[in-house]
Amino acid sequence: MNKLIGVIREQGWKRLFQIIYEVKINNLITKFVSIIFRRSGLKNIIVIESHNDFDCNGGAFYNYLIEHGYNQKYLIVWLLKKKNDIKLPYNVKKFLLHRPSILKSYYISRAKIFTSDNEVVPKARDDQKMYYFDHGSICLKNCKPFFNMSRKKIDYFFSPSPNYDAIYCNQMSIEYPNKKMLYLGYPRHDIFYVDSEKEIEKLTLKKYNKVILWMPTFRKGGGFKRNDSLLDFEYGIPLINTEKDFCEINDILKKNNTLLIIKIHPKQDIDTIKKLKTICFENVFIVDNDVVKEKNIDVFKLLKNTDALIS
């Protein structure tokens, strides 16, 4: 009751009802359905969640499954953050992650394998396997206040190296050492080693000597009223504070026939980048969620075709 009152005081009634609808009812339905099928065997079902739907490690893993025909044996269930009318191949289904569904709960209660990049969907049974891919190679800022993976029933974590495990476990609030770390490389890294279309041509057909990709992480966003910075940014990104700054950067880029692509983090609060979206320069392109969806851009294919990364 105290926790309930705390949510109302800090976040308001609207947020309370949102939590009840998106989380509590979802979990209750899944728990009820899993009780019904607790004595039934698991089925060949893989449940996938990715950072921004069909992208990141979950998206790369899914593409691998489809390209190698695993959907002939396994039913693949996508849990999406946003409604998407994309046509799916054989034996692939999609559900909204934050909307209650009895059928979705049935698949969750019977699935053998779960993968997650960002929001961990609680597995229903101990004999199911949950793999946490993560959506970043390593933590570039202090994420410990926002993660407590010890509360999640995660069987394995993907890690870039044993040398990083102590930091990773500290940031994720899980015990260290443990036997849950897997060093298989991240699924999305496979994109670097296969032929792919020129993603830059989805943005422009003009030829540049060099292309630089800048991917600043979010400062404000990523959760309810979450703000990871003590500073206010005019355009929602660091370093550039005035239109004059943009003009100076564009002049340097133009002089060197170089393109700068600023890829906005998908969790960045959209109100903070409204002014940024009005910027129009010949050698500076702004790529936000809307552009990614409209032009069907894969960030790692884009990265593969650039000359430098600022991160």
Side-chain angles (χ1 to χ4, degrees):
M1 183 58 70
N2 289 336
K3 190 174 182 181
L4 184 67
I5 294 172
V7 171
I8 296 171
R9 284 178 177 173
E10 294 177 14
Q11 304 179 14
W13 286 96
K14 183 178 179 181
R15 175 62 174 167
L16 174 65
F17 289 130
Q18 183 183 11
I19 292 172
I20 292 173
Y21 178 72
E22 294 183 354
V23 180
K24 301 301 182 182
I25 294 178
N26 241 334
N27 292 345
L28 279 173
I29 293 175
T30 301
K31 190 172 184 178
F32 176 74
V33 173
S34 65
I35 290 173
I36 296 175
F37 293 99
R38 67 182 182 274
R39 298 187 183 279
S40 302
L42 298 178
K43 299 176 74 69
N44 285 338
I45 300 173
I46 301 174
V47 177
I48 301 176
E49 178 272 345
S50 72
H51 191 215
N52 199 33
D53 297 342
F54 297 104
D55 69 342
C56 206
N57 287 311
F61 177 60
Y62 165 72
N63 290 335
Y64 177 89
L65 294 176
I66 298 301
E67 289 169 6
H68 292 80
Y70 282 97
N71 56 320
Q72 302 297 321
K73 179 180 179 181
Y74 290 89
L75 169 65
I76 300 172
V77 177
W78 266 104
L79 301 181
L80 307 177
K81 275 95 168 180
K82 297 178 182 178
K83 189 175 180 180
N84 194 316
D85 296 327
I86 186 173
K87 187 177 180 181
L88 298 174
Y90 169 74
N91 220 20
V92 179
K93 297 183 181 295
K94 62 180 186 292
F95 296 90
L96 288 174
L97 175 63
H98 297 300
R99 182 171 294 179
S101 163
I102 294 176
L103 185 56
K104 177 182 72 174
S105 294
Y106 168 76
Y107 290 137
I108 289 174
S109 68
R110 302 293 302 276
K112 286 184 178 179
I113 297 170
F114 293 76
T115 76
S116 176
D117 287 6
N118 188 29
E119 296 189 44
V120 177
V121 180
K123 62 180 188 177
R125 301 159 48 160
D126 291 337
D127 53 345
Q128 296 172 317
K129 294 298 180 185
M130 165 64 78
Y131 297 84
Y132 187 67
F133 287 157
D134 208 340
H135 55 274
S137 298
I138 60 172
C139 293
L140 298 177
K141 59 182 179 183
N142 183 18
C143 297
K144 191 172 183 178
F146 305 103
F147 290 97
N148 190 342
M149 292 301 187
S150 64
R151 298 176 182 174
K152 314 287 186 180
K153 293 182 178 180
I154 299 174
D155 297 286
Y156 297 103
F157 295 85
F158 275 41
S159 173
S161 164
N163 299 318
Y164 180 68
D165 284 352
I167 298 172
Y168 185 94
C169 293
N170 177 267
Q171 288 292 299
M172 295 295 178
S173 297
I174 57 178
E175 70 274 7
Y176 174 80
N178 62 65
K179 296 182 179 180
K180 295 183 176 183
M181 314 309 289
L182 295 180
Y183 316 106
L184 303 175
Y186 292 105
R188 62 185 181 179
H189 290 171
D190 290 355
I191 294 171
F192 292 143
Y193 304 103
V194 296
D195 292 333
S196 60
E197 63 270 28
K198 299 289 185 181
E199 292 293 293
I200 295 172
E201 293 180 0
K202 295 180 180 180
L203 297 172
T204 177
L205 296 177
K206 184 178 177 180
K207 301 300 180 184
Y208 296 88
N209 290 339
K210 299 290 182 182
V211 179
I212 301 170
L213 179 62
W214 180 18
M215 296 199 294
T217 190
F218 66 85
R219 267 66 185 168
K220 185 178 180 181
F224 184 76
K225 293 185 178 180
R226 176 176 169 181
N227 190 348
D228 289 4
S229 176
L230 298 176
L231 302 176
D232 289 323
F233 298 95
E234 187 73 14
Y235 296 96
I237 58 175
L239 302 179
I240 301 176
N241 299 307
T242 66
E243 188 169 342
K244 182 182 177 182
D245 293 338
F246 268 115
C247 291
E248 290 178 356
I249 290 171
N250 188 69
D251 288 343
I252 296 171
L253 294 167
K254 193 173 181 179
K255 181 179 178 181
N256 292 277
N257 191 29
T258 297
L259 173 65
L260 173 64
I261 300 172
I262 304 177
K263 167 63 177 67
I264 303 301
H265 193 285
K267 298 298 183 181
Q268 177 73 28
D269 182 75
I270 58 174
D271 288 334
T272 63
I273 59 168
K274 283 182 177 178
K275 190 172 181 181
L276 181 65
K277 294 179 72 172
T278 65
I279 294 296
C280 183
F281 287 103
E282 186 179 354
N283 290 67
V284 179
F285 286 10
I286 308 299
V287 176
D288 62 1
N289 268 358
D290 293 336
V291 176
V292 168
K293 297 295 183 184
E294 177 189 345
K295 299 185 180 295
N296 191 30
I297 292 174
D298 184 291
V299 175
F300 265 64
K301 289 179 181 177
L302 185 65
L303 178 58
K304 178 183 175 183
N305 289 289
T306 58
D307 298 285
L309 168 67
I310 304 172
S311 183

